[in-house]
Amino acid sequence: VYLETYGCQMNVNDTEIAWAILQKNGYMRTRELEEADVILLVTCSVREKAEQAIWNRLRHLKALKARRQQARLPLRIGILGCMAERLKEEILHREKLVDIVAGPDAYRDLPRLLAVAQSGQQAANVLLSLDETYADILPVQTSAGGTTAFVSIMRGCDNMCSYCIVPFTRGRERSRPIASILQEVQMLSDQGVKEVTLLGQNVNSFRDTSEVQFQSAAAPVLSRGFSTVYKAKAGGLRFAHLLDQVSRIDPEMRIRFTSPHPKDFPDEASVLQLIRERHNICKQLHLPAQSGSTRVLEAMRRGYTREAYLELVHHVRESIPGVSLSSDFIAGFCGETEDDHQQTVSLLREVRYNIGFLFAYSMRQKTRAYHRLQDDVPADVKRRRLEELIAVFREEAARANEAMVGRSQLVLVEGPSKRSASELCGRNDGNIKVIFPDAETEDAAGCRALVRAQPGDYVLVKVTSASSQTLKGVLLCRTTLSRSAACR
């Protein structure tokens, strides 16, 4: 089997789950397309561009499949994930190229679907589940170097933002039992993984209801000025409890999480307190804004105003000194005026994010926007607004990063820099890429021998220059997460 992943980190994790299931059923993995008997594409549906990449890939695979049929070496092709969920009929009928289609909740069914396909029939399962979390399946790690890993803690989303396809392709929100998450993180720690990112569409609304004694817990409070289209559910262990437990497993393992929703950081949020107090929880938060205009935010059904969002940002910055912020923005949503756009520009300037994910709006079928709103911003206007947002983001991110010049950063080494074999690359606590020379350095543990930093090592790097995307610096020494925290 040959697996190819598109889209978000959840899809990276889903690839590992699918591979774990297939491995248990006797499949072997190949990294060579030409060797494969089965090619599985794990797909994304969030934007039209993501789906177009899959249709283009299938055109390329059509020729490969035809060559195989001539040589009497059958090749089965499968589409997994969000695009499978959204476009099952079209995928199966378009040129009869695809043999199997499996939605995000159907990976356990892959061996059966492939067996059906082997008999020459097309096979599909896109049933969404109210309880599937794959809690009992330990994913087989596929990330390079084994330094970092993703751990899925929940699936689906209940927020129903008007632009978003996720609730329709991944279903309702449901959380994994904490015990299974802790088991997976412990396993990763034992394997030497040094950074784990907890994944979910909406991680901070996590709610583990597997233990009867926690069923009576009160419903969560929302951040001040935030609302939801659904009623908050009572009962269950919350995200703060999970974060507390996960961060205790290994003091030398960094913990990150994505993607949270701004509504789930109320003023008394123990999550923010944990981030401030625990040396191994990264001082970094993803706060997706989507727009800087209250009018557009209302049309998007985000459940907050510009003012409420900014108040939360100030609260976060007061709670976690030096926090690194990232965000998502959509340019050209339905009905967005030039004034709305300028309000987003001013939000980017006011907040000054370190990392940004910015895209032009892409209408998706099934969403509320598709049924109720008009995609009335011309493509060329969307493109111009997106370019303006990117330019402003980069300008402000460069200023934010320049503030780190002259200061030392704790960096987790990931491996060689892509641009130069004589440099190493890693990320600091704020998830910003740091490049530094691959040179011998001292070890802070006090041994006199010089050492060379390896993937998985923590090193101190003094920043000498910065851009909007990257920090560059000189290597000071190798250290540990705990020792670095003690020296702060």
Side-chain angles (χ1 to χ4, degrees), residues 7-20:
C8 68
Q9 293 122 320
M10 283 295 284
N11 278 0
V12 174
N13 188 255
D14 277 7
T15 303
E16 293 171 350
I17 288 168
W19 168 226

Side-chain angles (χ1 to χ4, degrees), residues 218-464:
V221 180
L222 295 180
S223 306
R224 193 162 59 233
F226 287 70
S227 62
T228 61
V229 295
Y230 64 88
K231 191 169 176 237
K233 302 177 192 82
L237 284 172
R238 303 283 162 185
F239 184 61
H241 182 86
L242 171 68
L243 195 58
D244 171 46
Q245 295 293 306
V246 168
S247 68
R248 291 175 189 272
I249 287 174
D250 182 350
E252 287 301 309
M253 178 190 269
R254 267 182 178 169
I255 309 299
R256 299 189 190 277
F257 56 87
T258 199
S259 204
H261 192 289
K263 71 179 167 55
D264 295 309
F265 289 111
D267 286 348
E268 70 278 12
S270 46
V271 169
L272 299 182
Q273 194 179 330
L274 274 170
I275 296 171
R276 184 178 70 238
E277 291 174 357
R278 295 283 161 88
H279 76 271
N280 62 336
I281 303 178
C282 292
K283 311 294 178 275
Q284 177 233 334
L285 265 189
H286 188 61
L287 288 180
Q290 307 301 358
S291 173
S293 159
T294 294
R295 201 183 67 78
V296 173
L297 289 168
E298 191 177 345
M300 288 177 166
R301 287 179 119 192
R302 288 293 288 168
Y304 52 87
T305 61
R306 174 195 176 95
E307 291 72 27
Y309 180 86
L310 280 170
E311 190 181 330
L312 174 64
V313 168
H314 295 316
H315 174 55
V316 165
R317 289 218 151 117
E318 282 170 15
S319 303
I320 311 164
V323 68
S324 165
L325 294 181
S326 57
S327 194
D328 301 331
F329 286 92
I330 295 170
F333 184 65
C334 308
E336 184 188 73
T337 65
E338 200 58 35
D339 179 59
D340 294 323
H341 167 63
Q342 289 306 323
Q343 288 183 54
T344 303
V345 168
S346 76
L347 186 78
L348 281 164
R349 291 215 184 274
E350 188 167 342
V351 177
R352 189 170 287 175
Y353 299 96
N354 298 85
I355 298 166
F357 304 92
L358 302 96
F359 302 97
Y361 176 61
S362 175
M363 177 75 88
R364 307 278 75 198
Q365 285 176 342
K366 295 187 180 176
T367 61
R368 184 181 174 86
Y370 179 78
H371 293 295
R372 304 281 182 91
L373 303 173
Q374 272 197 305
D375 187 7
D376 54 1
V377 179
D380 59 332
V381 175
K382 282 182 188 174
R383 200 159 41 246
R384 172 183 59 78
R385 288 179 186 171
L386 176 61
E387 285 166 5
E388 283 176 22
L389 292 182
I390 290 170
V392 171
F393 158 71
R394 286 193 172 150
E395 199 181 307
E396 296 300 330
R399 284 195 184 129
N401 290 348
E402 275 158 19
M404 294 182 221
V405 173
R407 287 158 47 187
S408 62
Q409 299 286 311
L410 181 71
V411 176
L412 175 60
V413 182
E414 291 176 359
S417 163
K418 284 180 182 164
R419 295 197 176 173
S420 167
S422 63
E423 292 179 317
L424 290 172
C425 171
R427 289 181 187 272
N428 71 354
D429 193 79
N431 213 19
I432 300 161
K433 190 184 280 188
V434 184
I435 310 285
F436 53 96
D438 181 5
E440 289 188 326
T441 186
E442 290 180 358
D443 191 290
C447 60
R448 295 198 176 166
L450 293 175
V451 293
R452 261 204 141 80
Q454 302 295 323
D457 284 347
Y458 291 104
V459 293
L460 276 177
V461 174
K462 186 174 182 182
V463 179
T464 53

Side-chain angles (χ1 to χ4, degrees), residues 144-164:
T147 299
T148 62
F150 298 120
V151 173
S152 173
I153 66 167
M154 62 193 300
R155 299 179 76 81
C157 186
D158 288 347
N159 287 320
M160 303 301 287
C161 301
S162 61
Y163 55 81
C164 188

Side-chain angles (χ1 to χ4, degrees), residues 69-90:
Q69 276 170 332
Q70 283 176 342
R72 305 216 167 159
L73 294 166
L75 173 67
R76 284 163 289 160
I77 294 172
I79 298 289
L80 315 188
C82 292
M83 190 170 163
E85 193 67 45
R86 194 177 94 77
L87 296 171
K88 171 192 152 188
E89 301 298 331
E90 189 177 346

Side-chain angles (χ1 to χ4, degrees), residues 56-69:
N56 294 343
R57 186 63 168 143
L58 286 175
R59 272 201 290 278
H60 171 79
L61 294 176
K62 188 179 180 182
L64 177 62
K65 193 169 186 179
R67 285 202 305 274
R68 287 294 193 82
Q69 276 170 332

Side-chain angles (χ1 to χ4, degrees), residues 135-183:
D136 58 320
I137 294 170
L138 289 178
V140 180
Q141 292 302 317
T142 56
S143 52
T147 299
T148 62
F150 298 120
V151 173
S152 173
I153 66 167
M154 62 193 300
R155 299 179 76 81
C157 186
D158 288 347
N159 287 320
M160 303 301 287
C161 301
S162 61
Y163 55 81
C164 188
I165 192 73
V166 167
F168 304 97
T169 59
R170 287 189 171 270
R172 295 283 79 85
E173 222 169 74
R174 64 269 188 204
S175 302
R176 267 175 82 179
I178 284 180
S180 77
I181 298 167
L182 298 180
Q183 181 193 0

